[in-house]
Amino acid sequence: MRVVSLVPSLTEAIAVTAPGLLVGATDWCSHPAGLDVVRIGGTKNPDTDAVLRLRPDLVVANEEENRAPDLDRLRAAGVEVLVTEVRDLPGGLRELRRVLADGCGSPVPEWLDRSRAAWAAAGPVADRPVPAVIPIWRRPWMVLGRDTFAGDLLARLGVVNVCAGHPERYPRIPLDELRTSGAELVVLPDEPYRFAPGDGPEAFPGLPAALVSGRALTWYGPSLEAAPRELAAALRAALR
């Protein structure tokens, strides 16, 4: 079987679980290190001609990371396209099983069971829920809104997204509104925007800032096993 992945977390999941199946991946597919496959552009602008030249039996994609016109073109050329939809942890675990077992014909990997167990054992990082704002971009400011995988992971650690009731999943909200949202914490991942100690926390004076791994917060794949430990450590450090 020949597989092309248009989603970094799925690229890692397939490469770790079924080495040899992947023949193409995006420029953003950074894990596992040293992955030797043909690069076919970005998640939002893949070179569909390059994908077709690889003669894939399956292309794996995601409904929010990839654009429908690109996927439609691949389908029109006769390629099977499996599109995941992930809004929470159970959905992420379920879709991983669908991609690996149903799509790639691989046995369910042990890391998937270990990831499920790791999150089942995870608990709150504080003695009460902590209201937080979770930016994912600046210029303009964008944050996590409703029904997001990352928001669900944080909720399992006792961090409550103050924008979870917004009608949009990734709303643009003026900074002044974020500052007066009632948040007691700002969570700043290093992707898709690379927030850093000198780029992000200064916009929220008086709020503790947790700088977290974007891979731990937003990827559904082998990183899920260590994610509760990594995220909890960053959150506790900020709340001390």
PDB file of all heavy atoms in Angstrom, residues 167-199:
ATOM      1  N   PRO A 167     -19.587  31.126  19.156  1.00  0.00           N
ATOM      2  CA  PRO A 167     -20.158  30.353  18.052  1.00  0.00           C
ATOM      3  C   PRO A 167     -19.131  29.850  17.046  1.00  0.00           C
ATOM      4  O   PRO A 167     -19.397  28.901  16.312  1.00  0.00           O
ATOM      5  CB  PRO A 167     -21.133  31.336  17.382  1.00  0.00           C
ATOM      6  CG  PRO A 167     -20.720  32.702  17.852  1.00  0.00           C
ATOM      7  CD  PRO A 167     -20.144  32.495  19.209  1.00  0.00           C
ATOM      8  N   GLU A 168     -17.948  30.464  16.996  1.00  0.00           N
ATOM      9  CA  GLU A 168     -16.907  30.027  16.073  1.00  0.00           C
ATOM     10  C   GLU A 168     -15.890  29.151  16.802  1.00  0.00           C
ATOM     11  O   GLU A 168     -15.681  29.291  18.011  1.00  0.00           O
ATOM     12  CB  GLU A 168     -16.194  31.237  15.457  1.00  0.00           C
ATOM     13  CG  GLU A 168     -17.089  32.120  14.615  1.00  0.00           C
ATOM     14  CD  GLU A 168     -16.332  33.312  14.062  1.00  0.00           C
ATOM     15  OE1 GLU A 168     -15.108  33.217  13.890  1.00  0.00           O
ATOM     16  OE2 GLU A 168     -16.977  34.340  13.812  1.00  0.00           O
ATOM     17  N   ARG A 169     -15.241  28.276  16.054  1.00  0.00           N
ATOM     18  CA  ARG A 169     -14.251  27.388  16.656  1.00  0.00           C
ATOM     19  C   ARG A 169     -12.920  28.094  16.878  1.00  0.00           C
ATOM     20  O   ARG A 169     -12.213  27.780  17.833  1.00  0.00           O
ATOM     21  CB  ARG A 169     -14.064  26.140  15.789  1.00  0.00           C
ATOM     22  CG  ARG A 169     -15.327  25.294  15.682  1.00  0.00           C
ATOM     23  CD  ARG A 169     -15.090  24.035  14.891  1.00  0.00           C
ATOM     24  NE  ARG A 169     -14.176  23.147  15.596  1.00  0.00           N
ATOM     25  CZ  ARG A 169     -13.298  22.358  14.997  1.00  0.00           C
ATOM     26  NH1 ARG A 169     -13.194  22.358  13.685  1.00  0.00           N
ATOM     27  NH2 ARG A 169     -12.513  21.573  15.711  1.00  0.00           N
ATOM     28  N   TYR A 170     -12.576  29.026  16.000  1.00  0.00           N
ATOM     29  CA  TYR A 170     -11.317  29.755  16.129  1.00  0.00           C
ATOM     30  C   TYR A 170     -11.585  31.245  15.883  1.00  0.00           C
ATOM     31  O   TYR A 170     -11.208  31.796  14.855  1.00  0.00           O
ATOM     32  CB  TYR A 170     -10.272  29.222  15.138  1.00  0.00           C
ATOM     33  CG  TYR A 170     -10.018  27.737  15.311  1.00  0.00           C
ATOM     34  CD1 TYR A 170     -10.598  26.807  14.452  1.00  0.00           C
ATOM     35  CD2 TYR A 170      -9.234  27.273  16.359  1.00  0.00           C
ATOM     36  CE1 TYR A 170     -10.388  25.451  14.632  1.00  0.00           C
ATOM     37  CE2 TYR A 170      -9.019  25.917  16.542  1.00  0.00           C
ATOM     38  CZ  TYR A 170      -9.597  25.010  15.677  1.00  0.00           C
ATOM     39  OH  TYR A 170      -9.397  23.666  15.859  1.00  0.00           O
ATOM     40  N   PRO A 171     -12.258  31.891  16.823  1.00  0.00           N
ATOM     41  CA  PRO A 171     -12.678  33.272  16.589  1.00  0.00           C
ATOM     42  C   PRO A 171     -11.526  34.277  16.687  1.00  0.00           C
ATOM     43  O   PRO A 171     -10.526  34.053  17.376  1.00  0.00           O
ATOM     44  CB  PRO A 171     -13.685  33.515  17.712  1.00  0.00           C
ATOM     45  CG  PRO A 171     -13.239  32.598  18.814  1.00  0.00           C
ATOM     46  CD  PRO A 171     -12.726  31.372  18.115  1.00  0.00           C
ATOM     47  N   ARG A 172     -11.697  35.370  15.962  1.00  0.00           N
ATOM     48  CA  ARG A 172     -10.834  36.529  16.124  1.00  0.00           C
ATOM     49  C   ARG A 172     -11.475  37.436  17.168  1.00  0.00           C
ATOM     50  O   ARG A 172     -12.606  37.883  17.001  1.00  0.00           O
ATOM     51  CB  ARG A 172     -10.692  37.285  14.806  1.00  0.00           C
ATOM     52  CG  ARG A 172     -10.051  36.475  13.692  1.00  0.00           C
ATOM     53  CD  ARG A 172      -9.875  37.316  12.441  1.00  0.00           C
ATOM     54  NE  ARG A 172      -9.268  36.549  11.362  1.00  0.00           N
ATOM     55  CZ  ARG A 172      -8.870  37.063  10.211  1.00  0.00           C
ATOM     56  NH1 ARG A 172      -9.033  38.367   9.987  1.00  0.00           N
ATOM     57  NH2 ARG A 172      -8.329  36.306   9.287  1.00  0.00           N
ATOM     58  N   ILE A 173     -10.742  37.706  18.237  1.00  0.00           N
ATOM     59  CA  ILE A 173     -11.276  38.510  19.333  1.00  0.00           C
ATOM     60  C   ILE A 173     -10.263  39.589  19.675  1.00  0.00           C
ATOM     61  O   ILE A 173      -9.070  39.286  19.852  1.00  0.00           O
ATOM     62  CB  ILE A 173     -11.563  37.631  20.572  1.00  0.00           C
ATOM     63  CG1 ILE A 173     -12.623  36.581  20.235  1.00  0.00           C
ATOM     64  CG2 ILE A 173     -12.027  38.491  21.750  1.00  0.00           C
ATOM     65  CD1 ILE A 173     -12.985  35.657  21.377  1.00  0.00           C
ATOM     66  N   PRO A 174     -10.696  40.844  19.762  1.00  0.00           N
ATOM     67  CA  PRO A 174      -9.750  41.927  20.081  1.00  0.00           C
ATOM     68  C   PRO A 174      -9.039  41.677  21.408  1.00  0.00           C
ATOM     69  O   PRO A 174      -9.616  41.111  22.348  1.00  0.00           O
ATOM     70  CB  PRO A 174     -10.647  43.165  20.146  1.00  0.00           C
ATOM     71  CG  PRO A 174     -11.838  42.824  19.303  1.00  0.00           C
ATOM     72  CD  PRO A 174     -12.054  41.357  19.499  1.00  0.00           C
ATOM     73  N   LEU A 175      -7.806  42.111  21.481  1.00  0.00           N
ATOM     74  CA  LEU A 175      -7.002  41.877  22.674  1.00  0.00           C
ATOM     75  C   LEU A 175      -7.654  42.458  23.919  1.00  0.00           C
ATOM     76  O   LEU A 175      -7.610  41.841  24.995  1.00  0.00           O
ATOM     77  CB  LEU A 175      -5.600  42.469  22.467  1.00  0.00           C
ATOM     78  CG  LEU A 175      -4.604  42.263  23.611  1.00  0.00           C
ATOM     79  CD1 LEU A 175      -4.417  40.790  23.932  1.00  0.00           C
ATOM     80  CD2 LEU A 175      -3.266  42.913  23.260  1.00  0.00           C
ATOM     81  N   ASP A 176      -8.257  43.622  23.809  1.00  0.00           N
ATOM     82  CA  ASP A 176      -8.899  44.233  24.978  1.00  0.00           C
ATOM     83  C   ASP A 176      -9.985  43.319  25.545  1.00  0.00           C
ATOM     84  O   ASP A 176     -10.148  43.229  26.773  1.00  0.00           O
ATOM     85  CB  ASP A 176      -9.502  45.593  24.620  1.00  0.00           C
ATOM     86  CG  ASP A 176      -8.439  46.666  24.421  1.00  0.00           C
ATOM     87  OD1 ASP A 176      -7.270  46.415  24.812  1.00  0.00           O
ATOM     88  OD2 ASP A 176      -8.766  47.737  23.875  1.00  0.00           O
ATOM     89  N   GLU A 177     -10.727  42.652  24.675  1.00  0.00           N
ATOM     90  CA  GLU A 177     -11.765  41.742  25.141  1.00  0.00           C
ATOM     91  C   GLU A 177     -11.167  40.504  25.806  1.00  0.00           C
ATOM     92  O   GLU A 177     -11.703  39.994  26.788  1.00  0.00           O
ATOM     93  CB  GLU A 177     -12.670  41.328  23.980  1.00  0.00           C
ATOM     94  CG  GLU A 177     -13.527  42.447  23.432  1.00  0.00           C
ATOM     95  CD  GLU A 177     -14.482  41.963  22.356  1.00  0.00           C
ATOM     96  OE1 GLU A 177     -14.824  40.751  22.358  1.00  0.00           O
ATOM     97  OE2 GLU A 177     -14.869  42.785  21.507  1.00  0.00           O
ATOM     98  N   LEU A 178     -10.055  40.028  25.268  1.00  0.00           N
ATOM     99  CA  LEU A 178      -9.400  38.872  25.881  1.00  0.00           C
ATOM    100  C   LEU A 178      -8.883  39.224  27.269  1.00  0.00           C
ATOM    101  O   LEU A 178      -8.959  38.403  28.197  1.00  0.00           O
ATOM    102  CB  LEU A 178      -8.248  38.393  24.996  1.00  0.00           C
ATOM    103  CG  LEU A 178      -8.631  37.888  23.607  1.00  0.00           C
ATOM    104  CD1 LEU A 178      -7.377  37.483  22.835  1.00  0.00           C
ATOM    105  CD2 LEU A 178      -9.592  36.713  23.703  1.00  0.00           C
ATOM    106  N   ARG A 179      -8.367  40.441  27.414  1.00  0.00           N
ATOM    107  CA  ARG A 179      -7.831  40.862  28.709  1.00  0.00           C
ATOM    108  C   ARG A 179      -8.916  41.001  29.765  1.00  0.00           C
ATOM    109  O   ARG A 179      -8.645  40.884  30.963  1.00  0.00           O
ATOM    110  CB  ARG A 179      -7.094  42.186  28.553  1.00  0.00           C
ATOM    111  CG  ARG A 179      -5.759  42.093  27.825  1.00  0.00           C
ATOM    112  CD  ARG A 179      -5.221  43.477  27.537  1.00  0.00           C
ATOM    113  NE  ARG A 179      -3.845  43.452  27.034  1.00  0.00           N
ATOM    114  CZ  ARG A 179      -3.242  44.497  26.475  1.00  0.00           C
ATOM    115  NH1 ARG A 179      -3.908  45.642  26.334  1.00  0.00           N
ATOM    116  NH2 ARG A 179      -2.005  44.390  26.046  1.00  0.00           N
ATOM    117  N   THR A 180     -10.155  41.274  29.354  1.00  0.00           N
ATOM    118  CA  THR A 180     -11.253  41.463  30.311  1.00  0.00           C
ATOM    119  C   THR A 180     -12.229  40.282  30.292  1.00  0.00           C
ATOM    120  O   THR A 180     -13.377  40.415  30.694  1.00  0.00           O
ATOM    121  CB  THR A 180     -12.010  42.760  29.986  1.00  0.00           C
ATOM    122  OG1 THR A 180     -12.511  42.703  28.637  1.00  0.00           O
ATOM    123  CG2 THR A 180     -11.108  43.972  30.143  1.00  0.00           C
ATOM    124  N   SER A 181     -11.758  39.116  29.831  1.00  0.00           N
ATOM    125  CA  SER A 181     -12.636  37.946  29.677  1.00  0.00           C
ATOM    126  C   SER A 181     -12.860  37.169  30.955  1.00  0.00           C
ATOM    127  O   SER A 181     -13.660  36.244  30.981  1.00  0.00           O
ATOM    128  CB  SER A 181     -12.022  36.999  28.632  1.00  0.00           C
ATOM    129  OG  SER A 181     -10.757  36.520  29.091  1.00  0.00           O
ATOM    130  N   GLY A 182     -12.152  37.541  32.021  1.00  0.00           N
ATOM    131  CA  GLY A 182     -12.248  36.781  33.265  1.00  0.00           C
ATOM    132  C   GLY A 182     -11.229  35.666  33.371  1.00  0.00           C
ATOM    133  O   GLY A 182     -11.235  34.899  34.347  1.00  0.00           O
ATOM    134  N   ALA A 183     -10.340  35.584  32.405  1.00  0.00           N
ATOM    135  CA  ALA A 183      -9.310  34.549  32.440  1.00  0.00           C
ATOM    136  C   ALA A 183      -8.340  34.798  33.590  1.00  0.00           C
ATOM    137  O   ALA A 183      -8.012  35.943  33.920  1.00  0.00           O
ATOM    138  CB  ALA A 183      -8.544  34.512  31.123  1.00  0.00           C
ATOM    139  N   GLU A 184      -7.889  33.711  34.189  1.00  0.00           N
ATOM    140  CA  GLU A 184      -6.870  33.771  35.238  1.00  0.00           C
ATOM    141  C   GLU A 184      -5.552  33.160  34.769  1.00  0.00           C
ATOM    142  O   GLU A 184      -4.596  33.052  35.536  1.00  0.00           O
ATOM    143  CB  GLU A 184      -7.370  33.040  36.484  1.00  0.00           C
ATOM    144  CG  GLU A 184      -8.613  33.669  37.085  1.00  0.00           C
ATOM    145  CD  GLU A 184      -9.176  32.870  38.245  1.00  0.00           C
ATOM    146  OE1 GLU A 184      -8.462  31.976  38.752  1.00  0.00           O
ATOM    147  OE2 GLU A 184     -10.316  33.144  38.648  1.00  0.00           O
ATOM    148  N   LEU A 185      -5.513  32.776  33.492  1.00  0.00           N
ATOM    149  CA  LEU A 185      -4.337  32.144  32.910  1.00  0.00           C
ATOM    150  C   LEU A 185      -4.390  32.338  31.403  1.00  0.00           C
ATOM    151  O   LEU A 185      -5.481  32.351  30.814  1.00  0.00           O
ATOM    152  CB  LEU A 185      -4.331  30.645  33.234  1.00  0.00           C
ATOM    153  CG  LEU A 185      -3.263  29.756  32.593  1.00  0.00           C
ATOM    154  CD1 LEU A 185      -1.894  30.047  33.214  1.00  0.00           C
ATOM    155  CD2 LEU A 185      -3.619  28.283  32.756  1.00  0.00           C
ATOM    156  N   VAL A 186      -3.239  32.509  30.781  1.00  0.00           N
ATOM    157  CA  VAL A 186      -3.168  32.484  29.323  1.00  0.00           C
ATOM    158  C   VAL A 186      -2.280  31.310  28.934  1.00  0.00           C
ATOM    159  O   VAL A 186      -1.196  31.122  29.492  1.00  0.00           O
ATOM    160  CB  VAL A 186      -2.651  33.819  28.742  1.00  0.00           C
ATOM    161  CG1 VAL A 186      -1.284  34.193  29.302  1.00  0.00           C
ATOM    162  CG2 VAL A 186      -2.582  33.750  27.218  1.00  0.00           C
ATOM    163  N   VAL A 187      -2.776  30.487  28.028  1.00  0.00           N
ATOM    164  CA  VAL A 187      -2.039  29.327  27.547  1.00  0.00           C
ATOM    165  C   VAL A 187      -1.555  29.633  26.136  1.00  0.00           C
ATOM    166  O   VAL A 187      -2.372  29.913  25.247  1.00  0.00           O
ATOM    167  CB  VAL A 187      -2.908  28.056  27.559  1.00  0.00           C
ATOM    168  CG1 VAL A 187      -2.119  26.862  27.045  1.00  0.00           C
ATOM    169  CG2 VAL A 187      -3.442  27.785  28.962  1.00  0.00           C
ATOM    170  N   LEU A 188      -0.242  29.565  25.924  1.00  0.00           N
ATOM    171  CA  LEU A 188       0.357  29.988  24.661  1.00  0.00           C
ATOM    172  C   LEU A 188       1.139  28.821  24.047  1.00  0.00           C
ATOM    173  O   LEU A 188       2.255  28.520  24.482  1.00  0.00           O
ATOM    174  CB  LEU A 188       1.291  31.182  24.897  1.00  0.00           C
ATOM    175  CG  LEU A 188       0.621  32.454  25.453  1.00  0.00           C
ATOM    176  CD1 LEU A 188       1.675  33.436  25.932  1.00  0.00           C
ATOM    177  CD2 LEU A 188      -0.261  33.089  24.390  1.00  0.00           C
ATOM    178  N   PRO A 189       0.588  28.181  23.026  1.00  0.00           N
ATOM    179  CA  PRO A 189       1.320  27.100  22.352  1.00  0.00           C
ATOM    180  C   PRO A 189       2.335  27.652  21.357  1.00  0.00           C
ATOM    181  O   PRO A 189       2.251  28.812  20.946  1.00  0.00           O
ATOM    182  CB  PRO A 189       0.208  26.332  21.628  1.00  0.00           C
ATOM    183  CG  PRO A 189      -0.838  27.364  21.362  1.00  0.00           C
ATOM    184  CD  PRO A 189      -0.777  28.343  22.510  1.00  0.00           C
ATOM    185  N   ASP A 190       3.287  26.802  20.964  1.00  0.00           N
ATOM    186  CA  ASP A 190       4.294  27.249  20.011  1.00  0.00           C
ATOM    187  C   ASP A 190       3.938  26.916  18.566  1.00  0.00           C
ATOM    188  O   ASP A 190       4.781  27.016  17.669  1.00  0.00           O
ATOM    189  CB  ASP A 190       5.676  26.700  20.363  1.00  0.00           C
ATOM    190  CG  ASP A 190       5.737  25.183  20.361  1.00  0.00           C
ATOM    191  OD1 ASP A 190       4.763  24.534  19.903  1.00  0.00           O
ATOM    192  OD2 ASP A 190       6.756  24.630  20.823  1.00  0.00           O
ATOM    193  N   GLU A 191       2.685  26.545  18.330  1.00  0.00           N
ATOM    194  CA  GLU A 191       2.163  26.413  16.969  1.00  0.00           C
ATOM    195  C   GLU A 191       0.645  26.469  17.026  1.00  0.00           C
ATOM    196  O   GLU A 191       0.065  26.129  18.055  1.00  0.00           O
ATOM    197  CB  GLU A 191       2.637  25.118  16.290  1.00  0.00           C
ATOM    198  CG  GLU A 191       2.185  23.831  16.962  1.00  0.00           C
ATOM    199  CD  GLU A 191       2.608  22.596  16.180  1.00  0.00           C
ATOM    200  OE1 GLU A 191       3.756  22.164  16.321  1.00  0.00           O
ATOM    201  OE2 GLU A 191       1.760  22.080  15.439  1.00  0.00           O
ATOM    202  N   PRO A 192      -0.021  26.979  15.993  1.00  0.00           N
ATOM    203  CA  PRO A 192       0.527  27.406  14.705  1.00  0.00           C
ATOM    204  C   PRO A 192       1.351  28.696  14.774  1.00  0.00           C
ATOM    205  O   PRO A 192       2.250  28.889  13.981  1.00  0.00           O
ATOM    206  CB  PRO A 192      -0.709  27.588  13.840  1.00  0.00           C
ATOM    207  CG  PRO A 192      -1.805  27.887  14.808  1.00  0.00           C
ATOM    208  CD  PRO A 192      -1.485  27.078  16.024  1.00  0.00           C
ATOM    209  N   TYR A 193       1.015  29.609  15.711  1.00  0.00           N
ATOM    210  CA  TYR A 193       1.886  30.763  15.927  1.00  0.00           C
ATOM    211  C   TYR A 193       2.926  30.357  16.964  1.00  0.00           C
ATOM    212  O   TYR A 193       2.597  29.716  17.962  1.00  0.00           O
ATOM    213  CB  TYR A 193       1.089  31.969  16.428  1.00  0.00           C
ATOM    214  CG  TYR A 193       1.919  33.230  16.563  1.00  0.00           C
ATOM    215  CD1 TYR A 193       2.036  34.115  15.493  1.00  0.00           C
ATOM    216  CD2 TYR A 193       2.603  33.519  17.743  1.00  0.00           C
ATOM    217  CE1 TYR A 193       2.801  35.271  15.602  1.00  0.00           C
ATOM    218  CE2 TYR A 193       3.380  34.664  17.855  1.00  0.00           C
ATOM    219  CZ  TYR A 193       3.477  35.530  16.783  1.00  0.00           C
ATOM    220  OH  TYR A 193       4.249  36.654  16.893  1.00  0.00           O
ATOM    221  N   ARG A 194       4.167  30.754  16.736  1.00  0.00           N
ATOM    222  CA  ARG A 194       5.233  30.351  17.653  1.00  0.00           C
ATOM    223  C   ARG A 194       5.335  31.357  18.799  1.00  0.00           C
ATOM    224  O   ARG A 194       6.227  32.216  18.824  1.00  0.00           O
ATOM    225  CB  ARG A 194       6.559  30.224  16.917  1.00  0.00           C
ATOM    226  CG  ARG A 194       7.671  29.612  17.777  1.00  0.00           C
ATOM    227  CD  ARG A 194       8.910  29.362  16.968  1.00  0.00           C
ATOM    228  NE  ARG A 194       8.741  28.291  16.010  1.00  0.00           N
ATOM    229  CZ  ARG A 194       8.858  26.990  16.302  1.00  0.00           C
ATOM    230  NH1 ARG A 194       9.107  26.615  17.543  1.00  0.00           N
ATOM    231  NH2 ARG A 194       8.696  26.084  15.364  1.00  0.00           N
ATOM    232  N   PHE A 195       4.423  31.247  19.766  1.00  0.00           N
ATOM    233  CA  PHE A 195       4.542  32.080  20.960  1.00  0.00           C
ATOM    234  C   PHE A 195       5.803  31.678  21.719  1.00  0.00           C
ATOM    235  O   PHE A 195       6.213  30.506  21.709  1.00  0.00           O
ATOM    236  CB  PHE A 195       3.313  31.912  21.854  1.00  0.00           C
ATOM    237  CG  PHE A 195       2.071  32.564  21.309  1.00  0.00           C
ATOM    238  CD1 PHE A 195       1.041  31.798  20.780  1.00  0.00           C
ATOM    239  CD2 PHE A 195       1.935  33.942  21.317  1.00  0.00           C
ATOM    240  CE1 PHE A 195      -0.102  32.396  20.259  1.00  0.00           C
ATOM    241  CE2 PHE A 195       0.788  34.552  20.808  1.00  0.00           C
ATOM    242  CZ  PHE A 195      -0.231  33.772  20.277  1.00  0.00           C
ATOM    243  N   ALA A 196       6.411  32.654  22.378  1.00  0.00           N
ATOM    244  CA  ALA A 196       7.668  32.431  23.085  1.00  0.00           C
ATOM    245  C   ALA A 196       7.702  33.350  24.307  1.00  0.00           C
ATOM    246  O   ALA A 196       6.839  34.222  24.454  1.00  0.00           O
ATOM    247  CB  ALA A 196       8.846  32.721  22.150  1.00  0.00           C
ATOM    248  N   PRO A 197       8.683  33.174  25.198  1.00  0.00           N
ATOM    249  CA  PRO A 197       8.716  34.011  26.399  1.00  0.00           C
ATOM    250  C   PRO A 197       8.663  35.501  26.122  1.00  0.00           C
ATOM    251  O   PRO A 197       8.048  36.259  26.884  1.00  0.00           O
ATOM    252  CB  PRO A 197      10.043  33.603  27.057  1.00  0.00           C
ATOM    253  CG  PRO A 197      10.244  32.184  26.646  1.00  0.00           C
ATOM    254  CD  PRO A 197       9.721  32.116  25.239  1.00  0.00           C
ATOM    255  N   GLY A 198       9.269  35.946  25.022  1.00  0.00           N
ATOM    256  CA  GLY A 198       9.254  37.366  24.688  1.00  0.00           C
ATOM    257  C   GLY A 198       8.239  37.757  23.646  1.00  0.00           C
ATOM    258  O   GLY A 198       8.261  38.892  23.148  1.00  0.00           O
ATOM    259  N   ASP A 199       7.342  36.849  23.319  1.00  0.00           N
ATOM    260  CA  ASP A 199       6.370  37.101  22.247  1.00  0.00           C
ATOM    261  C   ASP A 199       5.047  36.449  22.620  1.00  0.00           C
ATOM    262  O   ASP A 199       4.775  35.316  22.270  1.00  0.00           O
ATOM    263  CB  ASP A 199       6.889  36.534  20.926  1.00  0.00           C
ATOM    264  CG  ASP A 199       6.007  36.887  19.730  1.00  0.00           C
ATOM    265  OD1 ASP A 199       4.968  37.548  19.921  1.00  0.00           O
ATOM    266  OD2 ASP A 199       6.361  36.489  18.605  1.00  0.00           O
TER     267      ASP A 199
END
